[in-house]
Each structure stands twice: as structure tokens, then as C-alpha cells.
Amino acid sequence: MREENRPDPEELLQRLKREEARTRRGRLKIFLGMAAGVGKTCAMLRSASRRLEEGRDLVAGFIETHGREETRRLLDGIPVIPRKKVEYRGVTLEEMDLDAILERKPAIVLVDELAHSNVPGSRHARRWQDVIELIEAGIEVWTAVNVQHIESRAHTAGQIAGTEIRETIPDSLLDQADEVELIDLSPADLIERLKDGKIYELPRAQRALEHFFQPETLTALRELSLRLTAEHVDQDLRERMREKRIVGPWKTNERLLVAVSAAPTSADLIRWTRRQAYILGSPWTAVYVETSRRPGEKEHKKVMEHLDLARELGAEIVTTHDESVADGILRVSRECNVSQIVVGRTASNPLLDLLRGGSITGRILKNSGSVDVHVVAGESNGQTTPSLRTRVLPEGLVSNRSQYIVSLIAVSLTMGVGFLLEPFAGYRSVSIFFVLTVLLLALIVGRGPVVLAAAASALAWNFFFIPPRYTFYVSKPEDALMLFSIFAVAAVTGVLTSRVRSRENLVRRREALTTSLYRLARDLAALDRSAALARATRDHLEQSLPVHCSIRVRTEHGLLGSPALAGEDDGDEKERAVARWCFENRRPAGRFTDTLPLSKCHYLPLLASGQVVGVLQLNFLTGDRPPDPETRMLLDAVASQLASALLRVEGAKRAGELRLTAESDRLYRNVLSSVSHELRTPIAAMKGAASTLLDSPRITAEQRDELLREILLSSDRLNGLVEDLLDMQRIESGHLRPRLEWCDAADLIERAVSDRKSVLAGRGVEIHVKSPSPLVHVDAVLMIQALGNLLANAARHSLPGHPIHIGFAMDAGAALFFVEDEGPGIPVEERDRIFQKFYRSPSSGPGGAGLGLSIVRGFVEAHGGSVAVRDRAGGGSRFELRFPEEAMHAAEDPDHR
Amino acid sequence: MQQKILIIDDELSIRRFLRIGLEAAGYRVVEADEGDAGLAKAVAERPDLVILDLMLPDLYGLEVLTRLREWSRSPIIVLSVQGGEEDKISALDGGADDYLTKPFSMGELLARIRTALRHAVRSPDGEPIFQARGLTVDLGRRIVKRSEQTIHLSATEYEMLVVFIRHAGRVLTHRQVLKEIGHDGELESGVKYLRVFINQLRKKIEADPARPELLLTEPGVGYRLVDQ
């Protein structure tokens, strides 16, 4: 197989992810028609009846019969979810009951009229959003829509039919559809149906015939719908081919970029690019270049609308700053590896273009290098071309009105000063003051006011100072030259200064953004608890934006818990519901979105690695103006930073838990093998001995005694094990509180040795304590047992002939008990492990649960002391129990407690 | 003549009561506390029966069993613990004659020892007539009687019963039974097949098939035919 036929692994992964997402989601089937009356609803109902007969759980969520008899008959026998009645401005309207359907959770639901707009105040602005929620709840949705409502075709269809189409659905929904069924009918048949009154009542049908239902119109719409379906089928086929590795056109690494502006043609460009991207099967980017020229309110709104449109159609949105739109577009196209740029044909102004070094389009064409550039003529013909003001005046002239007034006042003042100076200095030196004024103005006002000030200065000097005064007439040529120079110097320096200043501002803003994101990333990296992460993010956001925010983090059960940081809006049940919706549907919700836009706050899901880890709740304090792209970018960046940080924290927590589980599992197995053996052996011995006593009549008195002793020994052994287990339990539960008292070290050693008489039988025990023996502040019972365990351990690990050493010494102010044996010693690598519970050295003989030494350690550590094992001088091992200085201090002063 | 029994167990307390109990029952006892030492004692002492603990510190008990079986035909009884079913099966398949689960009573052990020793001295031809708890099987004439009533067994049932009679008193693992009746294939399906035939057989030979007294189930291991 040729190399290029191999599917890109990245792509396969993407496919898998899509498939995975799809299996969780419900299927979407769209019945597509070219116009009303082709029979979409009927086709849908007929398929529905068949499914019902097959026993599928199908309900009608919303079916509009339009009073058509045929449709009503078909609806018979299909269970219907009652519509919800909604009161709006005194009128009762009927809407689909989304919650009732979600509650009912059928396998398939029928939802007619996909393009419908919901009553204001509903959860979603549009019905297609309801449908998305249904799909994501795992319900299969069948729906119907006409081609003119598909976003990318709406404009064309509107032109064909001669109407404006307002209710559109995004193309991405069509892409998500698992099945698109075209309900086709020839225009002649459709007109026939209309004439028969099967579609509308006759008077209305007549009107429709005169307008919309013209054969040419219908044919054009039919072509549109056929082409749309064909594209969809094509896309399907291509995916299948890719999946099955059929030799065919693999997706090239194409990426499209469309430049977005406030111009009305921009929307057409966006739709055109979307279509192209769909055909190529490639991703696309919409870029908006902000210059230092502040857009007007209307213009800003238009740009936002266009960016939203692009986002809805599936584009990646990039906004960037650049003084030159062309440079900005080219920069982004390089950064995003774009292969094709789409720009509109701009209305060009030869003079301005000369000043700028060519039109935007021209400059892009000149500098695009290997990137293809499409210059697309917009379809809209300028119903709303940008206002004259913006179009004719060079960039920078539109500025704040107060700045113009400041400029004029400054010029007037200069004029006054000029009148005062003129008698002494002559009219020519006055001109220098005008130049000075313009330069100073350039430092504080924008480009426009500076140019105005330059012009005003020139005129004022001319009119008031150049003889003949109070005319614009200039008699001497050197004065004319001077006049022109003043204007030129003032204007050029002014404009340059203000440009430098604005660029500086831009750089500062961008730098501030980068720095603040960097700082956030650094802060988040250092934190390891979700509450701390949330707090850092909130502080960060509230410092850099006029918002109040609170953050909700998911809990172990996947539900949204109480906010990690309570915000002021937390008490509101409605707001909580929006947060939950945002969390469950992984999409922004609330204010400035289409979902529950009437809520008080804006909600962003915190998404990382395809998981939603929480919700960011934002209360903008800026009023009704939606956040600008810069703010949105910042919010998106912050949200994703926070999400990855939260995921990291969760992951770390889970890894810790897993380690713990694995550890306890290992322990459990160890315990099972050693403890079960330790428990069973004495029990087996006791049962065996007792049954021998009962069953064997011929045993001697001596044998009987031996068996009874065996039973006694075994019960001791069993008791010892139970005691050890209980001690271990006491140590681990943290309930071990040593009862400290002043004890004689020699006494403790003496007691420990006598307690273990039976284990030490037949061995020499050498006790090393200097007299007078010092006092130590310890719990006598625990100490005796600890020393006893060490003695037993020494006896177990050395041969019977060798003596065991036990003693006490002072070492650097600390009290030190030690026990030595003359056995083989303990390998260095094992020394740490021997104090672990249930650890048994491979060299130790049978028996023992591996608890003795861990109990020693537990007891000593409860005193604040430490245990260690080292080689004994002269062979064997030496165990040391070291108690800190405090345990000894009072040795000289026993009353000090 | 006193029969000689070798005990291979690492636990002193177990060895101690075994020795007393076995000596009181008239056996001579030899002890070893490790696998290697046990193998050496087996060579030196030639015991009539070996009691082997499967949990030994130095050698895995099954390893000792395998090495013993390489040259010795003396009966071997293994000692195991609850939950060690797999070890028991491996031991039986590996040539052990019987097993006991700790803790056990001396009576049980002595019974097992007697059965094992009897089999060891019995001639390969075996007795022509088997009798236990009301069941009589005349192997020469192929007649099976229960409380003096002749019962008719199918060929497979009879074959299976003969297998059990040949090893009467001893536990047979599923694998051993299947091998004896010439069944080859998956063990899992074989076990199911066996269960069906055992149930049929029980209906015919047991007084109360729901509470068998002759053909006993050894849970997780196999079956045992009672021989007295």
C-alpha cells in the first residue's frame, strides 16, 4: 500500500473520539426538504409508525400538522408529549416541553420545525439547541427542516425566493446528523398539491402560488437542497473511505482562513469559506484584526455578530492586533499553517491605498507567498456600507469628540499668546508656538485631533498674523512656504507621535495579557489543591477584568459540587441550574449566550482532555455590552489553564489513591499468608493433640503430658499472635498514648529478660548497664515488650550456643537501649524493610507473623524515639532504640515533669 | 512388624503431636523439618508411608512430592490448608494418595493411613468382590447389588464404578477419573460430564441420592468411594 494511503494516526484517533462521543449521544436524523409541503412531516411520521410496530420506544415531541388532514391521520397512534403552555406578553403560546421529554427519555423523539425560534425566556433561544440537548441526553432525534433555513444556504435561498430568511440553523448541526434524508418532489407535483389545497387553505394557497411557489423558484430551491444533500453524502463517503483505507483522496493538510470585518459582505465570505472547508474536509479559521482605531459601537456589534456566525459554523476564532490589517492576516495565516486565505473584494480608494502601500487585498496577494488567496465578491450589495465618516477619512481621524475640543482650545490659547508676543517677536516667531502646541497635543490626543490642530494652526496663523491680516491671502512667497512647512511639520510629527503612542499602548496591552496569563500559569503550577487553584484564578480574573467570579469544581461523583469559592450569586437556585446545565452540556451558558440568556451570570465550562472538570461563573460589571474578543480570549485561556490544573490535581489525587490501594493489596496478601499460617499452625496442633488424647487409649502418661504441654504452648503462641495484632492495631489507629513515668533502665532490661525466659532458655544473656543505672522517662509496659520482642528476635536469628547482649548507654545526651546477637547479621538492603509490618526475612525460620519488629518501632516512635539496626562489632546485628534528650533531662531532676 | 511413617513438616508443634499420636497407634515415626532433609530420610529409612506438609520453607511441597515419586511407591498423604484446593489437586495428580486439611483430628489421619497402607499391600488384581454399606459388586461376574437387589448399570456407569472400586477409600481428582475412563478433552467440560454420570450412578447405588454415603464429593477436588 502506498504511503499516502495510510490514514493519519492523529486522524484515526479523532475518528475514534468522534465515534465514542457518538455512541454516548443519541443519533440525529434530518428530513430535508426544498419547501413547505413536500411531505417531510408525513415521511417522518410514516417511518415513525414502522418503528413503533417494531416495538421501539418512540414519541412525538413536537409535530405541527398545519391543519393538514393527511398529517393528522398519520399522527394517530403515535404517543405525543403534551406541549408546554408559555405566557408571553399576555399571549399563551405552545412550545415543545423539553424537560418532559428528557424526563420521559424515549429511545426516539420526533421534533418538527427545527428552525423554530422559542418564546423569549425559554431555556434556549432556538429549537435546534433543544435538539442538541436531547441528542446529548442520549435520545435519538428525528427532525425536519427546509433548505432555506440552513445557515450557509439561507442567503442564496433568500435571494431566490425574494425574502429575507431570519430563522436559520447552523451547518454544524447538519454535519452532526447521522442521516440526512432528502424529501424530494418535483416542482410540478408540489404546485399540484398546493392547488389541491393539500398544503394551505385555498385563499392562502393562491397567494403562495403567486409568490413563493413559482416553478423557477422551486426548481432553484430543489437544486439547492439536492446539492446540499450530495455534499453531505460526499462527506460521509469520504469518511468511510478514509476509515476503510480505500484508495482515494486523503484529506490534505489544508486549512482555510477568512478575514472578518464589519462589512456586511463579511457574512457571505464566512459562509463561502465554510462551504469550501466542508468540501475539502479541512478546518478553518476566522480572523479579525483589531487596529488601534477604535471601532464605533455599531461596527463593534457587527464584527461580534460575524465572529459569532463563524464560531457557529465551526470556525476557530482568532483575533489579533496589528496596525495593518493585511499584515495581521498574513501573520495569523503563518502561525496557523493556513493554506488558503479568503478575503473580500474591498472598496478601494486609490489615494488611501497609495498612502498605505496598496489595498488590503493587494498587499495580501503580494505577500502571501505559497498560500492560495481567494478574493471573493460579497453577495450583499451594500445596504449598510460603512458610514461616510469611516470610509473617507483616513484611519485615526475618528476619535473622541472631547479630544477635538481640547485641540481647538489649545490652538485658540496659542493664538492669544501669539497676539501678546507678536509686537515684540514679529509674526514669524509666532508660528513656532503653533508648531510647539501641535507637538505637545500629539502627546496627549489621538491622530485626528492632532491633524485638526495642525490645520487650525496653519489657518489661524495665516488669517490672524500673516500680513495682510484678517485675510487668507499671502503676499510673500516665503510666508507661503513657511505656512506649508508649519502645516506639514505639525501634521507629520503629530501623526507620528500619536502612532508611536498607540502602538506603545497596544504592545503594553498585549504584554499585560501575556504577563498575566504567564503569572496565572506559574501560580497554578505551584498549587496542589482545587480550592487553592480556584482562589488563585478568581483573584487573577477579578484583578484583570471588571468581573465577579466564582468557580465550581466537579466532585468524585461527576456532579457539580458546591462552589470551591462561594460567589455572591450563589444563593440563587436559578443560577445554580444554569451552572449545572453548562456543566452537563459542556457549553457556555447564561448571559451573552443563546442558552438561558436572561440569567445574571455568564458560565464557561472548564474543559481539559475532553472532560469537564468544573464551571467558571462570571458576573460582568460592565453592563450590557458583551465582552470583546480580547476578553473572551483571556477568559478562554484562563478557563483552559484552570481546567488542566484541576485535572492535574485530580489525577495526582487518584494516583495517590491507586498507590494506596496497591500497597494495601500487597499487604493484604502478605497478611493472609503469614497470619493464616500463624493462626492455623497452633490450632492444628491443638486439635491434633486433643484428638490424640481422646482417640488413643494406649498412650503413656509421659506422652499424655507432652500432648497437654503442646496444647498449652500452642495456645500461648495463638495468644501472642492475637496480642501482637491488637498492639499493631493500637499503633496504627493512633490511639497509642505512652503513660510516661520515670523508670530505672536496668529494671526494664531485667524484666524484659525474665519475661522471655522460655525463648531464651539455654542461652547466655549478657546485660551491659553501668551502675548506678540512669532513669528514663518512658512507658514501662511498652518498653518491656519492645525489648522482649528484640530479645525474641535475636534468639530466633542466632544459634543456641551464642550469647545475646542487651544493654543501656548514654549517647550524645540521648538514651540508648541496644540488643545484639551473634547471628549472621542483616543485609544492608533488608534493614529498612524488617521494621515493616508483616515483613518476614527470607532467612528467618518457620513461624512468626512479621509483627514483632514493627511493634517495636511503633512503641518507640510513640515515645518520640527511633529504631535502627547496624552490624555488631565482631559479627551479628545490633538493634538500637534511641530516645531523645528530653526523655533523659529530668534524670538529674526527677520532679521535672 | 511395625510400619514406619516419615513426617515432613517444618512446624515442631505439628510434628510433636503427630509423633505421639502415631506412636500410640503402633507406628514407628521418623521426622524431618525440611524438604531436603525429608528426601534424605526417605532414602535412608525407606518408610512405608510419608506424611508431607505442602507448605515447607525451603522446598515447595509439590517439588518434594515429585522427587519422592521418581523412585518411591510408598503411599503419600499431604497436609494442606483450607483454600489450597489447587495445591491439593496438583498433589493428587502428582502422585499423592490422599490429603488432609488442617486442622484435622488424629482419628481422621489414622483412617487415611490405614486405607493408604491397605492399598499399597493389595495385589494389582484386587479382590473379586467389593462390599461397602449395603453395596456389593461382583467384579468377576459383573453383578452389582444394593441390599440384595440386583441393579442394572450402563456400560459407562459400570466402568466408572470399577474405577472408584479400584481406588476405594481414596480421593480421585476429576482429571484422574476422566483419564481412567478414557475421556480426553477439556477438563472443564469433562467435569460437567462427570457430574452428570456421578449423579446417575448415585441414583442407582445410593440409598438416598441427595445425601450420598458411598460416593462422596470432595469439594473442589474430586470424588471418593467409601470402602468400609
Side-chain angles (χ1 to χ4, degrees):
Chain A
M1 184 168 276
R2 292 209 322 271
E3 186 69 11
E4 56 265 37
N5 291 338
R6 193 183 305 152
D8 180 7
E10 188 63 26
E11 177 143 338
L12 277 179
L13 197 70
Q14 287 287 329
R15 256 204 82 83
L16 275 177
K17 275 189 186 157
R18 267 206 306 275
E19 297 275 291
E20 201 182 81
R22 219 172 260 176
T23 49
R24 259 187 285 117
R25 301 174 48 159
R27 284 165 48 87
L28 175 64
K29 180 173 183 174
I30 295 180
F31 292 80
L32 184 73
M34 60 173 168
V38 291
K40 298 179 301 293
T41 308
C42 291
M44 186 156 83
L45 291 174
R46 268 193 287 272
S47 309
S49 305
R50 276 198 298 277
R51 287 301 165 89
L52 272 173
E53 277 165 26
E54 288 167 14
R56 295 293 301 272
D57 179 19
L58 181 146
V59 300
F62 188 95
I63 292 292
E64 189 57 71
T65 57
H66 293 291
R68 296 170 200 161
E69 189 51 40
E70 191 187 351
T71 319
R72 197 172 302 131
R73 254 200 332 273
L74 281 166
L75 192 55
D76 275 351
I78 296 176
V80 176
I81 302 262
R83 297 182 191 183
K84 194 165 65 176
K85 299 218 173 7
V86 187
E87 201 78 26
Y88 183 66
R89 295 198 176 150
V91 188
T92 307
L93 298 164
E94 289 193 337
E95 284 290 353
M96 180 170 85
D97 195 342
L98 178 60
D99 287 316
I101 301 172
L102 287 171
E103 178 90 3
R104 165 76 175 70
K105 209 169 190 315
I108 305 173
V109 65
L110 310 181
V111 181
D112 209 356
E113 307 259 314
L114 184 59
H116 173 79
S117 294
N118 290 335
V119 176
S122 306
R123 184 180 316 167
H124 300 292
R126 307 291 307 280
R127 179 166 296 156
W128 60 264
Q129 294 170 312
D130 294 344
V131 164
I132 288 180
E133 194 166 341
L134 288 170
I135 296 169
E136 279 173 5
I139 300 172
E140 178 168 344
V141 178
W142 292 4
T143 184
V145 71
N146 283 330
V147 69
Q148 75 252 32
H149 295 300
I150 307 292
E151 178 69 58
S152 62
R153 307 302 145 111
H155 193 76
T156 318
Q159 278 182 332
I160 294 169
T163 53
E164 198 183 336
I165 285 141
R166 292 178 201 283
E167 297 187 325
T168 58
I169 64 157
D171 290 61
S172 55
L173 196 68
L174 204 64
D175 298 348
Q176 283 177 33
D178 299 271
E179 213 177 315
V180 174
E181 189 169 335
L182 178 68
I183 308 303
D184 191 34
L185 196 65
S186 76
D189 285 347
L190 181 59
I191 292 171
E192 195 63 34
R193 270 170 64 102
L194 188 71
K195 279 182 179 157
D196 290 351
K198 281 185 182 164
I199 302 173
Y200 299 127
E201 308 286 314
L202 277 175
R204 204 176 149 206
Q206 198 53 43
R207 266 204 314 283
L209 265 175
E210 279 158 20
H211 294 98
F212 196 78
F213 285 79
Q214 295 290 322
E216 312 84 68
T217 310
L218 289 177
T219 308
L221 285 174
R222 188 181 185 200
E223 190 192 334
L224 207 59
S225 53
L226 285 169
R227 257 166 52 182
L228 185 67
T229 317
E231 267 178 30
H232 195 270
V233 169
D234 195 37
Q235 184 74 11
D236 256 12
L237 177 71
R238 228 160 338 139
E239 285 203 2
R240 199 105 338 136
M241 279 166 75
R242 218 173 288 154
E243 178 186 13
K244 302 260 191 270
R245 292 183 169 209
I246 300 166
V247 180
W250 295 118
K251 190 181 104 181
T252 48
N253 284 326
E254 294 283 346
R255 185 177 194 97
L256 275 70
L257 178 145
V258 60
V260 173
S261 71
T265 49
S266 200
D268 292 327
L269 285 190
I270 291 168
R271 293 198 184 97
W272 190 91
T273 313
R274 197 256 158 209
R275 238 172 2 243
Q276 218 55 33
Y278 189 80
I279 292 167
L280 288 171
S282 57
W284 59 295
T285 306
V287 62
Y288 170 61
V289 183
E290 271 187 309
T291 60
S292 56
R293 186 178 69 85
R294 297 300 277 174
E297 189 74 29
K298 257 194 198 154
E299 224 182 313
H300 177 77
K301 221 178 129 213
K302 264 276 170 272
V303 171
M304 287 302 109
E305 269 175 26
H306 291 157
L307 287 179
D308 281 345
L309 172 71
R311 188 176 292 126
E312 210 155 86
L313 291 178
E316 182 196 333
I317 307 298
V318 175
T319 64
T320 181
H321 295 282
D322 211 296
E323 273 315 288
S324 151
V325 175
D327 290 351
I329 290 171
L330 287 168
R331 184 165 45 75
V332 171
S333 75
R334 274 191 300 274
E335 283 164 4
C336 301
N337 277 328
V338 164
S339 58
Q340 302 187 21
I341 298 176
V342 181
V343 289
R345 196 185 289 152
T346 44
S348 60
N349 179 330
L351 195 71
L352 273 177
D353 288 351
L354 201 69
L355 277 175
R356 288 178 185 144
S359 69
I360 295 174
T361 311
R363 271 188 295 165
I364 290 174
L365 278 171
K366 205 162 75 190
N367 300 317
S368 54
S370 63
V371 177
D372 295 341
V373 180
H374 302 267
V375 181
V376 176
E379 288 165 19
S380 313
N381 295 323
Q383 314 106 313
T384 48
T385 44
S387 70
L388 195 70
R389 206 164 65 104
T390 5
R391 206 157 51 89
V392 174
L393 295 178
E395 282 183 10
L397 275 192
V398 185
S399 200
N400 199 325
R401 190 173 300 162
S402 64
Q403 292 194 350
Y404 287 98
I405 295 167
V406 168
S407 299
L408 289 178
I409 291 172
V411 172
S412 314
L413 287 177
T414 316
M415 218 160 66
V417 175
F419 281 124
L420 292 176
L421 275 179
E422 201 235 333
F424 314 102
Y427 72 89
R428 284 210 175 127
S429 30
V430 174
S431 65
I432 302 302
F433 280 93
F434 278 113
V435 173
L436 190 66
T437 306
V438 175
L439 282 180
L440 291 175
L441 276 173
L443 293 176
I444 53 170
V445 299
R447 250 186 291 175
V450 168
V451 173
L452 177 72
S457 299
L459 289 175
W461 188 55
N462 182 356
F463 193 78
F464 292 106
F465 296 97
I466 300 178
R469 287 185 156 196
Y470 310 115
T471 64
F472 285 112
Y473 180 70
V474 181
S475 55
K476 296 178 194 163
E478 62 265 38
D479 282 348
L481 201 64
M482 191 85 170
L483 186 66
F484 178 72
S485 311
I486 287 174
F487 176 73
V489 167
V492 169
T493 45
V495 167
L496 282 180
T497 317
S498 104
R499 181 178 289 182
V500 166
R501 208 157 47 85
S502 79
R503 189 162 292 182
E504 210 177 297
N505 276 339
L506 209 69
V507 168
R508 209 173 297 140
R509 257 163 70 205
R510 222 188 269 171
E511 199 179 79
L513 187 75
T514 322
T515 320
S516 89
L517 273 178
Y518 164 73
R519 205 174 303 135
L520 177 68
R522 195 193 52 196
D523 290 353
L524 293 188
L527 298 172
D528 57 0
R529 280 184 41 248
S530 23
L533 289 173
R535 195 170 312 119
T537 311
R538 182 191 63 179
D539 294 349
H540 178 87
L541 274 179
E542 291 186 349
Q543 262 170 33
S544 37
L545 293 173
V547 290
H548 279 315
C549 74
S550 66
I551 291 153
R552 287 159 184 275
V553 179
R554 73 167 170 196
T555 63
E556 286 153 33
H557 317 292
L559 296 167
L560 203 53
S562 58
L565 272 174
E568 58 188 65
D569 308 305
D570 192 53
D572 196 336
E573 176 57 39
K574 249 192 236 158
E575 295 293 316
R576 270 210 295 277
V578 188
R580 208 169 310 124
W581 190 92
C582 168
F583 177 76
E584 281 162 6
N585 293 274
R586 302 159 172 240
R587 277 204 305 276
R591 204 167 166 211
F592 306 128
T593 69
D594 289 330
T595 303
L596 300 160
L598 299 181
S599 4
K600 198 162 144 205
C601 297
H602 181 73
Y603 295 84
L604 280 177
L606 300 172
L607 290 166
S609 313
Q611 301 181 44
V612 52
V613 292
V615 169
L616 177 61
Q617 172 181 354
L618 297 155
N619 186 6
F620 288 97
L621 307 174
T622 40
D624 283 336
R625 192 180 154 124
D628 55 30
E630 203 171 278
T631 310
R632 284 192 187 199
M633 235 162 58
L634 174 70
L635 288 175
D636 284 349
V638 167
S640 80
Q641 292 250 11
L642 176 60
S644 347
L646 286 171
L647 201 65
R648 168 175 60 80
V649 168
E650 257 185 30
K653 204 170 137 201
R654 202 161 314 144
E657 282 165 7
L658 271 180
R659 252 201 316 278
L660 218 66
T661 315
E663 178 67 11
S664 69
D665 208 46
R666 193 184 63 80
L667 256 178
Y668 176 74
R669 276 200 306 275
N670 273 352
V671 172
L672 212 66
S673 69
S674 66
V675 172
S676 71
H677 182 259
E678 275 305 287
L679 283 168
R680 274 170 171 150
T681 303
I683 292 172
M686 283 155 79
K687 179 166 180 176
S691 62
T692 312
L693 283 171
L694 279 176
D695 298 345
S696 313
R698 286 183 291 148
I699 55 172
T700 63
E702 198 184 320
Q703 283 174 329
R704 196 197 61 205
D705 286 354
E706 206 176 337
L707 286 172
L708 288 173
R709 255 199 311 280
E710 180 54 50
I711 293 173
L712 213 57
L713 270 176
S714 291
S715 58
D716 280 347
R717 183 169 165 186
L718 208 52
N719 183 52
L721 178 68
V722 171
E723 292 288 338
D724 278 0
L725 284 170
L726 291 177
D727 280 340
M728 206 60 230
Q729 170 61 25
R730 216 147 50 106
I731 291 167
E732 295 199 330
S733 65
H735 291 313
L736 187 66
R737 298 262 180 281
R739 283 176 33 201
L740 299 180
E741 53 194 326
W742 291 100
C743 312
D744 187 302
D747 281 355
L748 293 174
I749 290 173
E750 211 64 66
R751 274 292 305 279
V753 174
S754 70
D755 273 5
R756 304 290 166 141
K757 263 201 314 271
S758 56
V759 190
L760 300 170
R763 271 179 202 272
V765 177
E766 292 177 19
I767 299 175
H768 309 259
V769 188
K770 285 196 184 110
S771 66
S773 130
L775 292 179
V776 280
H777 201 214
V778 293
D779 182 319
V781 177
L782 298 188
M783 268 318 292
I784 291 166
Q785 196 182 336
L787 292 172
N789 281 3
L790 286 180
L791 286 171
N793 187 65
R796 182 191 286 274
H797 291 282
S798 62
L799 293 171
H802 296 278
I804 291 168
H805 308 266
I806 181 168
F808 177 84
M810 293 299 296
D811 184 45
L816 183 76
F817 287 93
F818 61 87
V819 174
E820 296 176 346
D821 64 60
E822 296 182 7
I826 296 163
V828 180
E829 64 273 11
E830 229 185 302
R831 286 184 189 170
D832 278 340
R833 275 184 290 165
I834 57 170
F835 292 107
Q836 287 172 11
K837 69 174 174 177
F838 300 121
Y839 177 79
R840 293 183 65 237
S841 167
S843 63
S844 64
L851 284 172
L853 290 181
S854 56
I855 288 171
V856 171
R857 184 172 73 170
F859 283 177
V860 173
E861 286 179 354
H863 284 86
S866 61
V867 291
V869 62
R870 61 189 79 237
D871 285 329
R872 171 180 177 271
S877 45
R878 172 183 166 99
F879 285 83
E880 291 184 350
L881 312 183
R882 186 180 290 271
F883 295 89
E885 234 169 313
E886 298 85 73
M888 294 302 305
H889 260 175
E892 299 103 45
D893 174 18
D895 294 329
H896 173 86
R897 297 218 164 181
Chain B
M1 193 197 93
Q2 261 189 330
Q3 284 173 310
K4 200 191 287 178
I5 295 178
L6 169 62
I7 303 167
I8 309 179
D9 195 314
D10 60 321
E11 283 289 345
L12 176 64
S13 48
I14 303 280
R15 291 202 305 273
R16 205 146 45 200
F17 87 79
L18 284 178
R19 182 170 45 75
I20 297 170
L22 293 176
E23 279 174 1
Y27 298 103
R28 263 185 63 207
V29 176
V30 188
E31 292 175 32
D33 62 353
E34 283 182 326
D36 275 332
L39 286 167
K41 282 261 167 69
V43 175
E45 303 275 350
R46 298 291 174 130
D48 297 291
L49 184 139
V50 179
I51 296 173
L52 171 66
D53 186 1
L54 284 181
M55 302 262 281
L56 289 176
D58 60 338
L59 275 180
Y60 193 46
L62 285 176
E63 177 74 24
V64 179
L65 178 74
T66 318
R67 293 213 208 151
L68 267 176
R69 267 291 167 259
E70 280 168 7
W71 57 271
S72 163
R73 292 180 52 86
S74 307
I76 302 173
I77 295 175
V78 294
L79 303 182
S80 172
V81 293
Q82 195 71 46
E85 266 67 33
E86 280 168 38
D87 283 349
K88 290 173 199 163
I89 294 172
S90 311
L92 292 169
D93 285 343
D97 293 72
D98 215 333
Y99 72 89
L100 266 178
T101 304
K102 287 187 206 172
F104 50 86
S105 73
M106 190 50 77
E108 282 176 83
L109 178 65
L110 292 174
R112 298 289 166 87
I113 290 174
R114 277 195 296 275
T115 304
L117 288 173
R118 195 163 55 236
H119 277 282
V121 296
R122 188 181 288 163
S123 65
D125 299 335
E127 317 267 330
I129 292 178
F130 172 84
Q131 263 184 314
R133 302 198 183 187
L135 182 76
T136 311
V137 182
D138 186 332
L139 293 165
R141 294 191 293 156
R142 295 172 78 97
I143 292 171
V144 184
K145 281 186 183 166
R146 134 124 250 128
S147 319
E148 300 308 315
Q149 296 254 296
T150 305
I151 333 168
H152 297 283
L153 296 181
S154 73
T156 320
E157 286 162 1
Y158 182 76
E159 193 187 347
M160 200 179 294
L161 185 59
V162 170
V163 169
F164 280 112
I165 289 170
R166 255 206 315 274
H167 299 92
R170 293 161 63 188
V171 65
L172 286 177
T173 65
H174 299 120
R175 195 191 301 275
Q176 286 171 332
V177 183
L178 288 168
K179 197 177 152 202
E180 293 266 5
I181 60 171
H183 175 97
D184 45 4
E186 292 278 316
L187 181 65
E188 205 176 316
S189 62
V191 171
K192 281 184 199 146
Y193 167 84
L194 210 54
R195 191 172 299 139
V196 173
F197 276 100
I198 294 286
N199 281 336
Q200 285 179 10
L201 199 54
R202 277 179 181 159
K203 276 184 198 148
K204 294 183 179 173
I205 64 173
E206 295 280 359
D208 179 2
R211 257 166 300 165
E213 290 182 320
L214 274 164
L215 197 49
L216 307 181
T217 302
E218 294 282 332
V221 179
Y223 300 95
R224 181 199 301 274
L225 181 68
V226 172
D227 66 342
Q228 44 190 272

